[in-house]
Amino acid sequence: MRKTVYWIEGDGIGPEVWNAARPVIDEAVTAEYDGERSLEWVELLAGEKALAAGETPLPEATLTALRDAELAMKGPLGTPVGSGIRSLNVALRRTLDLYACIRPIRHFGGLETPVKHPERVNMIVFRENTEDVYAGIEFAAQTPEARKLVAFLRDEMNVQIAESAAVGLKPMTEAGSKRLVRRALRYALDQKLPSLTLVHKGNIMKYTEGAFRQWGYDLAAQEFGDRTCTEKDPAAGRLIIKDRIADAMFQEALLRPEQYSVLATPNLNGDYLSDALAAQVGGLGLAPGVNMSDTLAFFEATHGTAPTIAGQDKANPGSLLLCGALLLEHIGWHGAAARIRNAVNAVIAARTVTVDLAGQLPGSRAVGCREFGELVGAAL
Ligand code: NAI
């Protein structure tokens, strides 16, 4: 079996992390399936590489290929100055309707962290990626648009609001919330995980965040009623659906992380929570991620282009390596995925790490990007 993966190299440290990571991903597949399965890598241009080829930063050919693709993976993309594009990542997300941003969070091999028991954290955040205050609908204070909206709210809707206010909107739909929760639920059930927690701020924002919570419970009952239960009404062998108010969830993540598994969140809560959890396990630089539409799983290194260390063989390829593991898991090639994860774990546990992690690992030896990749390859 052969699966096509479209890949975008990315800017800055993109080329070197790919050079270190891609051979390892292929080796893991070969080691596990002995030639019976393989990945076919097809490069697509974006960012500086596209500009250098005389294209726009996000060429139409790249978008066309991605619209029909099932699997893709990208390195970090900078934002080309003066290109007229605010962010290539946002443009990709919008154009391809990548509505679910998924980040698994777990601790790796002895890394020092700010908490005593990072190994108790094993969560996966499903964050809605298209709605909420991040929809980008906002108006600067004192502009004609803001004034018009404020006047409408005061005069027609009887809302108390300062005339000088900047205003942003928080659109959240039933369809948008449910498709995110559906995806998280399917994952939790497929992986036989114990619980799914809806994280919301519905005590304050009743009709947006509160509705997210309710839509989540409704969806679980309507579509997965025979396989789920609630915390109030538990049933053995079923996935427990819980909900937590976002601020309490941050406390829970620190105090009782072992009680949480899959988290489903609106956009803003999920943004904060996934970075806070990654920091809790000491792994911001190692965090893999994937953005999904109904047809495409688009894996991405979660770090940026790290311009100050680009081209110096100092970058950590761990995020891309773990993206590879996530991709293999997504297509059901669990054996190869486990090989990568275990090998990364073993190399970190042996205290050979890139400089960014060396500070978190007393007695470690700092190695370059390429050597780190080779060590992981050898540990497969
Ligand atoms: P950054 O993630 O590039 O760098 C933050 C810090 O982490 C720097 O000290 C950097 O050297 C270090 N770092 C990042 N990745 C590393 C790695 N793999 N190994 C070792 N050290 C690493 O974030 P920054 O500086 O805010 O952004 C730089 C550029 O990257 C900007 O143009 C930004 O727009 C873009 N960016 C792209 C992202 C993406 O494509 N997903 C995500 C974040 C930023």
Side-chain angles (χ1 to χ4, degrees), residues 285-336:
L286 275 173
V290 53
N291 289 301
M292 290 197 191
S293 70
D294 281 329
T295 51
L296 172 67
F298 199 167
F299 299 81
E300 68 169 356
T302 54
H303 54 73
T305 58
T308 55
I309 57 165
Q312 298 170 34
D313 194 36
K314 284 184 184 161
N316 181 354
S319 178
L320 210 53
L321 279 163
L322 294 171
C323 277
L326 211 54
L327 179 146
L328 294 168
E329 190 176 74
H330 173 71
I331 56 175
W333 298 8
H334 295 285

Tab-separated table of all heavy atoms in Angstrom, residues 285-336:
chain	number	residue	atom	x	y	z
A	285	GLY	N	8.554	23.093	22.123
A	285	GLY	CA	9.344	22.919	20.898
A	285	GLY	C	9.155	21.564	20.246
A	285	GLY	O	9.593	21.345	19.130
A	286	LEU	N	8.532	20.632	20.960
A	286	LEU	CA	8.363	19.271	20.443
A	286	LEU	C	6.942	18.998	19.982
A	286	LEU	O	6.655	17.927	19.466
A	286	LEU	CB	8.657	18.260	21.563
A	286	LEU	CG	10.092	17.844	21.829
A	286	LEU	CD1	10.143	16.981	23.074
A	286	LEU	CD2	10.681	17.107	20.644
A	287	ALA	N	6.049	19.987	20.179
A	287	ALA	CA	4.623	19.709	19.987
A	287	ALA	C	4.263	19.537	18.516
A	287	ALA	O	4.528	20.427	17.709
A	287	ALA	CB	3.803	20.833	20.607
A	288	PRO	N	3.650	18.419	18.161
A	288	PRO	CA	3.133	18.273	16.801
A	288	PRO	C	1.693	18.755	16.752
A	288	PRO	O	1.050	18.930	17.793
A	288	PRO	CB	3.166	16.762	16.588
A	288	PRO	CG	2.911	16.200	17.952
A	288	PRO	CD	3.438	17.196	18.954
A	289	GLY	N	1.171	18.986	15.563
A	289	GLY	CA	-0.218	19.393	15.452
A	289	GLY	C	-0.772	18.997	14.097
A	289	GLY	O	-0.030	18.690	13.171
A	290	VAL	N	-2.098	18.992	14.015
A	290	VAL	CA	-2.728	18.726	12.721
A	290	VAL	C	-3.987	19.572	12.612
A	290	VAL	O	-4.712	19.752	13.599
A	290	VAL	CB	-3.022	17.215	12.527
A	290	VAL	CG1	-3.813	16.627	13.677
A	290	VAL	CG2	-3.741	16.946	11.214
A	291	ASN	N	-4.196	20.125	11.426
A	291	ASN	CA	-5.431	20.848	11.137
A	291	ASN	C	-6.222	20.010	10.146
A	291	ASN	O	-5.669	19.545	9.154
A	291	ASN	CB	-5.110	22.211	10.520
A	291	ASN	CG	-4.507	23.146	11.548
A	291	ASN	OD1	-5.120	23.447	12.565
A	291	ASN	ND2	-3.291	23.581	11.300
A	292	MET	N	-7.521	19.836	10.428
A	292	MET	CA	-8.305	18.942	9.574
A	292	MET	C	-9.559	19.604	9.013
A	292	MET	O	-10.235	20.366	9.697
A	292	MET	CB	-8.754	17.724	10.381
A	292	MET	CG	-7.618	16.799	10.739
A	292	MET	SD	-8.305	15.222	11.208
A	292	MET	CE	-6.856	14.437	11.885
A	293	SER	N	-9.832	19.251	7.760
A	293	SER	CA	-11.147	19.523	7.179
A	293	SER	C	-11.863	18.172	7.133
A	293	SER	O	-11.382	17.198	7.713
A	293	SER	CB	-11.001	20.096	5.769
A	293	SER	OG	-10.524	19.092	4.886
A	294	ASP	N	-12.979	18.095	6.418
A	294	ASP	CA	-13.642	16.788	6.315
A	294	ASP	C	-12.856	15.822	5.441
A	294	ASP	O	-13.030	14.614	5.529
A	294	ASP	CB	-15.067	16.947	5.781
A	294	ASP	CG	-16.007	17.413	6.881
A	294	ASP	OD1	-15.769	17.061	8.051
A	294	ASP	OD2	-16.967	18.150	6.578
A	295	THR	N	-11.977	16.360	4.577
A	295	THR	CA	-11.251	15.476	3.648
A	295	THR	C	-9.744	15.460	3.853
A	295	THR	O	-9.089	14.479	3.540
A	295	THR	CB	-11.523	15.908	2.186
A	295	THR	OG1	-11.262	17.305	2.083
A	295	THR	CG2	-12.954	15.623	1.788
A	296	LEU	N	-9.190	16.545	4.374
A	296	LEU	CA	-7.731	16.684	4.451
A	296	LEU	C	-7.228	16.706	5.902
A	296	LEU	O	-7.784	17.405	6.741
A	296	LEU	CB	-7.317	17.994	3.755
A	296	LEU	CG	-5.862	18.440	3.888
A	296	LEU	CD1	-4.915	17.475	3.173
A	296	LEU	CD2	-5.671	19.848	3.318
A	297	ALA	N	-6.172	15.944	6.159
A	297	ALA	CA	-5.452	16.050	7.442
A	297	ALA	C	-4.114	16.714	7.128
A	297	ALA	O	-3.284	16.151	6.416
A	297	ALA	CB	-5.243	14.677	8.051
A	298	PHE	N	-3.926	17.918	7.644
A	298	PHE	CA	-2.772	18.747	7.294
A	298	PHE	C	-1.896	18.903	8.551
A	298	PHE	O	-2.211	19.687	9.438
A	298	PHE	CB	-3.284	20.106	6.801
A	298	PHE	CG	-2.295	20.891	5.990
A	298	PHE	CD1	-2.715	21.993	5.266
A	298	PHE	CD2	-0.959	20.543	5.930
A	298	PHE	CE1	-1.826	22.733	4.496
A	298	PHE	CE2	-0.062	21.267	5.174
A	298	PHE	CZ	-0.496	22.358	4.461
A	299	PHE	N	-0.820	18.120	8.588
A	299	PHE	CA	0.039	18.085	9.776
A	299	PHE	C	1.021	19.246	9.719
A	299	PHE	O	1.526	19.577	8.651
A	299	PHE	CB	0.777	16.741	9.832
A	299	PHE	CG	-0.194	15.601	9.933
A	299	PHE	CD1	-0.833	15.113	8.798
A	299	PHE	CD2	-0.533	15.070	11.165
A	299	PHE	CE1	-1.778	14.096	8.884
A	299	PHE	CE2	-1.474	14.060	11.261
A	299	PHE	CZ	-2.098	13.572	10.123
A	300	GLU	N	1.311	19.848	10.881
A	300	GLU	CA	2.277	20.949	10.843
A	300	GLU	C	3.099	21.032	12.110
A	300	GLU	O	2.614	20.810	13.212
A	300	GLU	CB	1.598	22.291	10.570
A	300	GLU	CG	0.714	22.792	11.665
A	300	GLU	CD	0.284	24.249	11.471
A	300	GLU	OE1	0.747	24.895	10.508
A	300	GLU	OE2	-0.497	24.743	12.279
A	301	ALA	N	4.386	21.358	11.895
A	301	ALA	CA	5.243	21.691	13.028
A	301	ALA	C	4.628	22.926	13.667
A	301	ALA	O	4.244	23.853	12.963
A	301	ALA	CB	6.645	21.982	12.526
A	302	THR	N	4.501	22.927	14.991
A	302	THR	CA	3.782	24.049	15.610
A	302	THR	C	4.692	25.246	15.874
A	302	THR	O	4.222	26.319	16.181
A	302	THR	CB	3.120	23.605	16.928
A	302	THR	OG1	4.131	23.018	17.745
A	302	THR	CG2	2.038	22.586	16.676
A	303	HIS	N	6.013	25.056	15.750
A	303	HIS	CA	6.917	26.196	15.964
A	303	HIS	C	6.997	27.038	14.689
A	303	HIS	O	6.516	26.636	13.632
A	303	HIS	CB	8.308	25.699	16.365
A	303	HIS	CG	8.892	24.716	15.397
A	303	HIS	ND1	9.358	25.078	14.156
A	303	HIS	CD2	9.048	23.367	15.473
A	303	HIS	CE1	9.799	24.015	13.522
A	303	HIS	NE2	9.609	22.949	14.280
A	304	GLY	N	7.661	28.203	14.810
A	304	GLY	CA	7.814	29.084	13.656
A	304	GLY	C	9.110	28.818	12.901
A	304	GLY	O	9.716	27.741	13.044
A	305	THR	N	9.542	29.804	12.126
A	305	THR	CA	10.687	29.624	11.223
A	305	THR	C	12.032	29.809	11.926
A	305	THR	O	13.075	29.584	11.324
A	305	THR	CB	10.604	30.644	10.078
A	305	THR	OG1	10.577	31.974	10.646
A	305	THR	CG2	9.347	30.436	9.238
A	306	ALA	N	12.011	30.237	13.186
A	306	ALA	CA	13.228	30.411	14.006
A	306	ALA	C	14.367	31.049	13.201
A	306	ALA	O	15.450	30.466	13.080
A	306	ALA	CB	13.659	29.078	14.603
A	307	PRO	N	14.137	32.258	12.661
A	307	PRO	CA	15.121	32.841	11.725
A	307	PRO	C	16.524	32.991	12.317
A	307	PRO	O	17.501	32.880	11.590
A	307	PRO	CB	14.511	34.207	11.362
A	307	PRO	CG	13.417	34.450	12.346
A	307	PRO	CD	12.959	33.129	12.846
A	308	THR	N	16.621	33.196	13.639
A	308	THR	CA	17.960	33.462	14.195
A	308	THR	C	18.855	32.221	14.202
A	308	THR	O	20.066	32.334	14.325
A	308	THR	CB	17.879	34.019	15.644
A	308	THR	OG1	17.124	33.103	16.429
A	308	THR	CG2	17.221	35.387	15.674
A	309	ILE	N	18.270	31.023	14.100
A	309	ILE	CA	19.127	29.828	14.086
A	309	ILE	C	19.067	29.103	12.741
A	309	ILE	O	19.685	28.047	12.577
A	309	ILE	CB	18.771	28.837	15.229
A	309	ILE	CG1	17.295	28.415	15.158
A	309	ILE	CG2	19.103	29.423	16.587
A	309	ILE	CD1	16.986	27.181	16.013
A	310	ALA	N	18.353	29.675	11.774
A	310	ALA	CA	18.183	28.984	10.488
A	310	ALA	C	19.521	28.758	9.798
A	310	ALA	O	20.401	29.621	9.831
A	310	ALA	CB	17.260	29.800	9.581
A	311	GLY	N	19.685	27.582	9.238
A	311	GLY	CA	20.892	27.264	8.475
A	311	GLY	C	22.102	26.935	9.331
A	311	GLY	O	23.200	26.772	8.827
A	312	GLN	N	21.911	26.806	10.648
A	312	GLN	CA	23.057	26.562	11.539
A	312	GLN	C	23.064	25.165	12.130
A	312	GLN	O	23.828	24.870	13.047
A	312	GLN	CB	23.048	27.589	12.681
A	312	GLN	CG	23.190	29.021	12.209
A	312	GLN	CD	22.931	30.002	13.341
A	312	GLN	OE1	23.249	29.747	14.499
A	312	GLN	NE2	22.324	31.128	13.020
A	313	ASP	N	22.199	24.299	11.662
A	313	ASP	CA	22.110	22.932	12.170
A	313	ASP	C	21.844	22.885	13.686
A	313	ASP	O	22.323	22.017	14.387
A	313	ASP	CB	23.402	22.153	11.827
A	313	ASP	CG	23.225	20.646	12.031
A	313	ASP	OD1	22.119	20.126	11.761
A	313	ASP	OD2	24.183	19.981	12.486
A	314	LYS	N	21.057	23.863	14.171
A	314	LYS	CA	20.756	23.890	15.607
A	314	LYS	C	19.295	23.541	15.895
A	314	LYS	O	18.914	23.342	17.043
A	314	LYS	CB	21.008	25.296	16.165
A	314	LYS	CG	22.458	25.640	16.351
A	314	LYS	CD	22.555	27.010	16.998
A	314	LYS	CE	23.998	27.450	17.120
A	314	LYS	NZ	24.099	28.898	17.313
A	315	ALA	N	18.462	23.528	14.865
A	315	ALA	CA	17.015	23.404	15.093
A	315	ALA	C	16.646	22.009	15.590
A	315	ALA	O	17.313	21.021	15.286
A	315	ALA	CB	16.267	23.709	13.803
A	316	ASN	N	15.573	21.963	16.332
A	316	ASN	CA	15.040	20.694	16.836
A	316	ASN	C	14.014	20.157	15.821
A	316	ASN	O	12.984	20.783	15.596
A	316	ASN	CB	14.370	20.986	18.179
A	316	ASN	CG	13.790	19.752	18.826
A	316	ASN	OD1	13.782	18.673	18.231
A	316	ASN	ND2	13.311	19.911	20.041
A	317	PRO	N	14.271	19.002	15.233
A	317	PRO	CA	13.320	18.459	14.263
A	317	PRO	C	12.207	17.643	14.923
A	317	PRO	O	11.420	16.991	14.232
A	317	PRO	CB	14.204	17.552	13.396
A	317	PRO	CG	15.274	17.070	14.326
A	317	PRO	CD	15.481	18.150	15.369
A	318	GLY	N	12.130	17.679	16.256
A	318	GLY	CA	11.212	16.813	17.005
A	318	GLY	C	9.748	17.023	16.651
A	318	GLY	O	8.975	16.070	16.547
A	319	SER	N	9.351	18.280	16.458
A	319	SER	CA	7.941	18.545	16.165
A	319	SER	C	7.539	17.881	14.844
A	319	SER	O	6.492	17.235	14.751
A	319	SER	CB	7.718	20.053	16.103
A	319	SER	OG	6.396	20.355	15.788
A	320	LEU	N	8.394	18.005	13.838
A	320	LEU	CA	8.091	17.399	12.534
A	320	LEU	C	8.127	15.863	12.615
A	320	LEU	O	7.298	15.180	12.017
A	320	LEU	CB	9.096	17.906	11.492
A	320	LEU	CG	8.611	18.007	10.056
A	320	LEU	CD1	7.334	18.825	9.951
A	320	LEU	CD2	9.688	18.638	9.175
A	321	LEU	N	9.087	15.337	13.374
A	321	LEU	CA	9.156	13.881	13.567
A	321	LEU	C	7.865	13.362	14.193
A	321	LEU	O	7.298	12.352	13.769
A	321	LEU	CB	10.331	13.526	14.490
A	321	LEU	CG	11.712	13.468	13.841
A	321	LEU	CD1	12.809	13.520	14.905
A	321	LEU	CD2	11.840	12.188	13.015
A	322	LEU	N	7.407	14.082	15.215
A	322	LEU	CA	6.184	13.640	15.897
A	322	LEU	C	4.946	13.893	15.036
A	322	LEU	O	3.944	13.177	15.149
A	322	LEU	CB	6.066	14.312	17.263
A	322	LEU	CG	7.171	13.885	18.242
A	322	LEU	CD1	7.151	14.731	19.503
A	322	LEU	CD2	7.052	12.400	18.605
A	323	CYS	N	5.009	14.886	14.135
A	323	CYS	CA	3.946	15.046	13.134
A	323	CYS	C	3.884	13.793	12.268
A	323	CYS	O	2.803	13.329	11.900
A	323	CYS	CB	4.232	16.236	12.212
A	323	CYS	SG	3.740	17.809	12.880
A	324	GLY	N	5.054	13.267	11.940
A	324	GLY	CA	5.112	12.038	11.148
A	324	GLY	C	4.419	10.902	11.880
A	324	GLY	O	3.623	10.148	11.295
A	325	ALA	N	4.689	10.790	13.176
A	325	ALA	CA	4.043	9.732	13.973
A	325	ALA	C	2.528	9.919	13.989
A	325	ALA	O	1.761	8.961	13.844
A	325	ALA	CB	4.597	9.743	15.403
A	326	LEU	N	2.115	11.173	14.110
A	326	LEU	CA	0.682	11.478	14.147
A	326	LEU	C	0.010	11.117	12.824
A	326	LEU	O	-1.099	10.574	12.792
A	326	LEU	CB	0.549	12.984	14.398
A	326	LEU	CG	-0.631	13.521	15.167
A	326	LEU	CD1	-0.769	12.831	16.502
A	326	LEU	CD2	-0.448	15.031	15.386
A	327	LEU	N	0.713	11.414	11.732
A	327	LEU	CA	0.181	11.091	10.399
A	327	LEU	C	0.027	9.569	10.251
A	327	LEU	O	-1.007	9.075	9.789
A	327	LEU	CB	1.108	11.653	9.315
A	327	LEU	CG	0.709	11.379	7.868
A	327	LEU	CD1	1.104	12.571	6.979
A	327	LEU	CD2	1.333	10.125	7.277
A	328	LEU	N	1.048	8.843	10.665
A	328	LEU	CA	0.991	7.384	10.524
A	328	LEU	C	-0.140	6.805	11.376
A	328	LEU	O	-0.852	5.891	10.965
A	328	LEU	CB	2.343	6.768	10.921
A	328	LEU	CG	3.503	7.142	9.984
A	328	LEU	CD1	4.844	6.747	10.592
A	328	LEU	CD2	3.328	6.489	8.614
A	329	GLU	N	-0.316	7.378	12.550
A	329	GLU	CA	-1.413	6.929	13.420
A	329	GLU	C	-2.759	7.224	12.756
A	329	GLU	O	-3.670	6.401	12.779
A	329	GLU	CB	-1.309	7.650	14.751
A	329	GLU	CG	-2.211	7.127	15.813
A	329	GLU	CD	-1.942	7.848	17.111
A	329	GLU	OE1	-2.344	9.021	17.221
A	329	GLU	OE2	-1.315	7.247	17.996
A	330	HIS	N	-2.839	8.410	12.138
A	330	HIS	CA	-4.085	8.825	11.484
A	330	HIS	C	-4.503	7.847	10.391
A	330	HIS	O	-5.688	7.585	10.197
A	330	HIS	CB	-3.897	10.238	10.916
A	330	HIS	CG	-5.043	10.726	10.080
A	330	HIS	ND1	-6.257	11.069	10.628
A	330	HIS	CD2	-5.163	10.917	8.744
A	330	HIS	CE1	-7.075	11.446	9.653
A	330	HIS	NE2	-6.439	11.356	8.510
A	331	ILE	N	-3.519	7.293	9.659
A	331	ILE	CA	-3.887	6.352	8.588
A	331	ILE	C	-3.881	4.907	9.080
A	331	ILE	O	-3.956	3.967	8.295
A	331	ILE	CB	-2.968	6.515	7.338
A	331	ILE	CG1	-1.484	6.358	7.708
A	331	ILE	CG2	-3.220	7.844	6.666
A	331	ILE	CD1	-0.556	6.391	6.478
A	332	GLY	N	-3.744	4.749	10.394
A	332	GLY	CA	-3.862	3.405	10.976
A	332	GLY	C	-2.581	2.592	10.950
A	332	GLY	O	-2.603	1.401	11.229
A	333	TRP	N	-1.454	3.246	10.626
A	333	TRP	CA	-0.178	2.531	10.621
A	333	TRP	C	0.463	2.672	12.011
A	333	TRP	O	1.510	3.308	12.193
A	333	TRP	CB	0.744	3.082	9.517
A	333	TRP	CG	0.182	2.917	8.129
A	333	TRP	CD1	-1.077	2.493	7.793
A	333	TRP	CD2	0.842	3.194	6.883
A	333	TRP	NE1	-1.233	2.475	6.423
A	333	TRP	CE2	-0.069	2.899	5.832
A	333	TRP	CE3	2.116	3.656	6.540
A	333	TRP	CZ2	0.239	3.061	4.490
A	333	TRP	CZ3	2.424	3.814	5.194
A	333	TRP	CH2	1.498	3.508	4.187
A	334	HIS	N	-0.215	2.096	12.978
A	334	HIS	CA	0.141	2.345	14.381
A	334	HIS	C	1.542	1.858	14.746
A	334	HIS	O	2.227	2.470	15.553
A	334	HIS	CB	-0.896	1.709	15.299
A	334	HIS	CG	-2.253	2.335	15.154
A	334	HIS	ND1	-2.558	3.572	15.665
A	334	HIS	CD2	-3.376	1.918	14.520
A	334	HIS	CE1	-3.810	3.890	15.364
A	334	HIS	NE2	-4.329	2.892	14.659
A	335	GLY	N	1.957	0.734	14.153
A	335	GLY	CA	3.278	0.185	14.487
A	335	GLY	C	4.396	1.151	14.135
A	335	GLY	O	5.311	1.398	14.938
A	336	ALA	N	4.325	1.727	12.943
A	336	ALA	CA	5.365	2.663	12.510
A	336	ALA	C	5.311	3.942	13.354
A	336	ALA	O	6.350	4.519	13.704
A	336	ALA	CB	5.187	2.992	11.029
